[in-house]
Amino acid sequence: MAILIDGKALAQKVRGEVAAAAAEMTEKGHKPGLAVILVGEDPASQVYVRNKVRACENCGMYSAKFTLPAETSTEEVIALVEKLNRDDAIDGILVQLPLPKGIDRKAVLRAIAPEKDSDMLHPENLGELASGADCLAPCTPSGVMRMLEEYDIPVEGKRCCVIGRSELVGRPAALLLTGKNGTVTVCHSRTADLAEETRRADILVAAIGKPKFVTADMIKPGAAVIDVGINRLPDGSLCGDVDFEAAEKVAGWITPVPGGCGPMTIAMLLDNTIKLAKKRLGL
Ligand code: NAP
């Protein structure tokens, strides 16, 4: 039976570190602040934003939430981002994705000042990561790396397979694993024989968005399986991209959904924001 990677408990630990750093900064005269922008009424995004704001406040950070209607124009979102770029109380800006159709996502992400880019999705920050620099990274893949580290799962010299190549998860996860000297294969919807690739992997990261897509026969016995997917089933319950019940019998380590990558993503968002604040203010 696989070792369960408890993302919830680990996120609690990270948030404890964040709270200590936030208290220290506040003592020095600056309470670190995160601005979260939500455009539209996507129910899942509303829940994510609520959780992010709550986590921020629980860690003793300042949080500012901006909710804009789905009809907001790209220019209006950018105007808000630019205002927050100039606001000294704000150390990090997060625009909740996905944005409603009609809003130019790339233009919005590009408008965030790179030094306040909590999710590290500005092309300058992604470029730093791609160049192999030791820098901050997008929150979800950062959470993946932190889980591997905390559970002493070796990456160096290991075969890693990432299913998914989004700029939010798959691509940066592959870069981070490469940075830790893993040998990385990135798979996607055009991969010719996915199971052949996944079965070779010592570390398998699933970031697809398809419920229970990764079955037990696609997993190498003893592999670490990190399930990034969050899918809502018709009965309202959540499940990952991995068929957890069958996979936990084969894997060496596995993350649950919920309680794995989700809470870690929020914890790493706060961690990134604190680190950006320290850097920006020279603390
Ligand atoms: P995305 O942008 O839709 O990317 C999905 C990726 O999966 C794409 O690269 C796609 O390939 C690939 N894919 C789709 N069908 C496939 C197939 N049949 N075989 C192999 N690859 C396939 O999604 P995302 O933003 O990366 O998110 C992925 C999942 O993670 C979603 O469930 C999302 O909700 C979840 N997520 C969770 C967190 C968290 O905090 N835990 C954060 C972000 C996202 P192509 O590139 O060829 O289309």
Side-chain angles (χ1 to χ4, degrees), residues 140 163-166 168-169 188-190 194 207-210 213 228-231 241 261-262 265:
T140 303
I163 319 177
R165 55 177 165 179
S166 70
L168 190 63
V169 191
H188 43 76
S189 65
R190 313 290 170 89
L194 184 64
I208 315 160
K210 288 195 175 1
F213 183 84
V228 178
I230 303 178
N231 308 289
D241 289 342
C261 293
T265 293

Side-chain angles (χ1 to χ4, degrees), residues 4 19 93 114 182 245 249-250 254:
L4 191 74
I93 302 167
E245 281 73 28
K249 297 187 177 81
V250 183
I254 192 165

Side-chain angles (χ1 to χ4, degrees), residues 149-200:
E149 197 183 301
E150 290 282 334
Y151 280 79
D152 289 324
I153 299 168
V155 179
E156 181 155 328
K158 298 294 177 188
R159 284 206 169 102
C160 311
C161 178
V162 179
I163 319 177
R165 55 177 165 179
S166 70
E167 74 176 343
L168 190 63
V169 191
R171 276 173 208 258
L175 289 169
L176 288 168
L177 289 163
T178 307
K180 291 285 176 201
N181 300 317
T183 302
V184 183
T185 304
V186 180
C187 297
H188 43 76
S189 65
R190 313 290 170 89
T191 298
D193 189 343
L194 184 64
E196 189 188 67
E197 305 295 342
T198 61
R199 267 189 226 118
R200 274 206 296 259

Side-chain angles (χ1 to χ4, degrees), residues 57-71:
E57 288 166 355
N58 286 344
C59 286
M61 292 168 66
Y62 165 64
S63 83
K65 179 181 158 190
F66 299 87
T67 311
L68 305 173
E71 310 75 52

Side-chain angles (χ1 to χ4, degrees), residues 70-117:
E71 310 75 52
T72 308
S73 67
T74 302
E75 291 69 29
E76 284 168 317
V77 183
I78 289 177
L80 173 58
V81 167
E82 286 174 345
K83 190 165 151 248
L84 295 167
N85 284 342
R86 294 189 297 272
D87 186 342
D88 224 32
I90 299 298
D91 300 291
I93 302 167
L94 176 102
V95 178
Q96 183 65 40
L97 300 174
L99 284 165
K101 280 194 179 68
I103 295 186
D104 184 342
R105 173 178 184 265
K106 280 199 184 295
V108 169
L109 294 178
R110 236 181 280 126
I112 300 172
E115 67 275 13
K116 288 193 176 186
D117 179 23

